[in-house]
Amino acid sequence: MPYYAGLRISEVVGLDLTDVRLSVGKGELRIRGQGRDSGKIRLLPVHPDLRQALTDWLATRAGWKGAATHPALFLNQRGGRLSDRAARDIITGLGDAVGLGDDPTEPFSSHVLRHTFATQLIRHGTDPVLVAELLGHGSLDTTRRYGLPTEADKAAALNALISDH
């Protein structure tokens, strides 16, 4: 969800079943704002891959402890709402299992997935105002950092200069 919807981990674990609307061809997530945006609601379309993952999870969730009584979309093994820390640990563990946490200078986390979501959208030409809306940013300045040039971008720009030799 941090990658396919750009959600903060607190937004992921804050989702209830009623916040997820799925149909055969589309879906929508109802996201409640955090911090200063507490109480603000944003509606996000669901990426097809995420829609399939959510459909699969909902089928599996039905057999989990607490599924019949707890409104949380994601449950822990005791049948309660999954915590922020547990969700972060799950994502970090999965990243470590596939080698994403091998570089100590660039640790892998759920926020890296959210950052990748935003960076890919910006680099593929999506309007920054739309990206800010999808991320739930109140300011374009916050979103701007996802479009900052990399060292490779700077080198490519300089290499594009026309020279006489």
Side-chain angles (χ1 to χ4, degrees):
M1 294 186 100
Y3 178 73
Y4 281 120
L7 299 185
R8 297 169 183 95
I9 204 68
S10 59
E11 293 170 334
V12 172
V13 299
L15 288 170
D16 287 336
L17 290 170
T18 57
D19 296 324
V20 179
R21 296 182 194 120
L22 301 176
S23 64
V24 175
K26 59 184 177 176
E28 183 176 72
L29 298 175
R30 182 176 175 265
I31 310 301
R32 286 180 292 287
Q34 306 291 315
R36 289 182 300 213
D37 289 338
S38 183
K40 183 178 175 186
I41 302 293
R42 71 184 193 277
L43 300 175
L44 298 177
V46 177
H47 185 279
D49 291 342
L50 178 57
R51 184 172 36 83
Q52 185 60 56
L54 286 169
T55 299
D56 294 346
W57 166 245
L58 290 170
T60 300
R61 182 193 181 280
W64 276 53
K65 183 177 183 179
T69 58
H70 205 290
L73 176 62
F74 294 108
L75 301 172
N76 60 31
Q77 293 180 346
R78 294 181 309 277
R81 184 177 299 276
L82 188 67
S83 70
D84 287 23
R85 182 170 181 95
R88 281 188 186 90
D89 288 348
I90 290 167
I91 291 172
T92 302
L94 291 170
D96 288 346
V98 297
L100 294 177
D102 293 347
D103 185 351
T105 62
E106 294 183 28
F108 177 73
S109 69
S110 58
H111 196 72
V112 168
L113 295 174
R114 177 174 157 87
H115 180 89
T116 302
F117 167 88
T119 300
Q120 285 186 358
L121 291 177
I122 293 287
R123 291 190 179 267
H124 284 97
T126 305
D127 183 342
V129 173
L130 175 56
V131 176
E133 178 69 23
L134 292 170
L135 292 169
H137 287 166
S139 166
L140 278 178
D141 285 338
T142 307
T143 308
R144 182 180 170 271
R145 70 176 172 234
Y146 296 110
L148 294 176
T150 64
E151 293 306 314
D153 294 332
K154 294 173 190 175
L158 292 176
N159 288 335
L161 290 172
I162 298 172
S163 63
D164 290 339
H165 47 98

